[in-house]
Amino acid sequence: MTMIAITMRMMRHIYPGGTQEVRDALAQDWWSFLNRALPGVPVLPLPNIGREAVALAQALPVSGLILTGGDDWGLFPRRDATEEALFRWAERQALPVLGVCRGAQIINRFMGGHTGTGFGAKHAGTRHALHVVPRAREPQFPKGSLEVNSWHNGGIRQDDLAPGLSPWAFAPDGSVEAFCSAEGGITGIMWHPEREPTTQAHDILLFQALNRGKA
C-alpha cells in the first residue's frame, strides 16, 4: 500500500508566565481535504527533527511527499533543515513531491531559483484568477481561467523560476502560480487546496497524480 508523507509547520506556544513551547502542527483542514482527495490512502505527518525525518520516512513505505505552507524561510531553521533533507531524499529516490505555497517556494529555492518579496498586497488573504496555460503537464487539469485563494507574501516571478522547472499557471500579475519539473515528478502550487470551503475537482486531480507516483 502506498503512503504519502506530509510536513508540518512549527508554532511557538507561550504559557501564562512566559514559558514557551515549540510545537509541530498541521491544520485540521488538511485531513478533511485529504480524506476527499485520497480516500483510503494513509498519510504520515513527519516531525521537524532535521535529517532524522528521512530515516523515519525510509522506515515506512512512503511513496510521495507533500511540503505544506506556513512559516517564512528562516523563521524556524529546524523546519527548513527537515524539509530540505526530505526533498533531497525524495529527489534521490525519484519520489513525487507536491509543494503547497511555502512548499512551492522552497522547492524553487532548493533547485536554484529565487522567491521574491512585495507580493503581499495582491496575494495575502485574497482570491484571484488563475490562468492555466495550454499543454499543462496534468492533461485533465482545466485550461483557461479558474479562481484560487491566495495567502502568500513571497512569490515567484518567471525569471526567478529554477532551471528544470516549467510554469503552467499564472496569477493576473504574471507571477508563477504553479510549476512542474520536466519529468513531472515535482509540482508546486501557490494556492491552498485545503483552505477552499468546497473541495475543488482540479485540486483532487493534482493529489491523485501524486498518489499515482507522478506529481
Side-chain angles (χ1 to χ4, degrees), residues 29 32-33 36 126-128 147-151 191-203:
D29 290 342
S32 299
F33 171 75
R36 295 187 182 96
T126 186
R127 299 185 68 85
H128 62 65
E147 185 182 84
V148 295
N149 60 52
S150 190
W151 295 93
W191 63 94
H192 285 259
E194 82 282 7
R195 293 184 184 177
E196 290 288 356
T198 303
T199 302
Q200 300 298 304
H202 57 261
D203 290 328

Side-chain angles (χ1 to χ4, degrees), residues 128-160:
H128 62 65
L130 176 75
H131 179 68
V132 183
V133 300
R135 300 191 303 276
R137 187 245 346 128
E138 180 60 53
Q140 298 103 327
F141 201 92
K143 308 302 186 293
S145 294
L146 300 170
E147 185 182 84
V148 295
N149 60 52
S150 190
W151 295 93
H152 54 95
N153 291 307
I156 303 170
R157 297 178 175 87
Q158 288 193 60
D159 291 345
D160 292 329

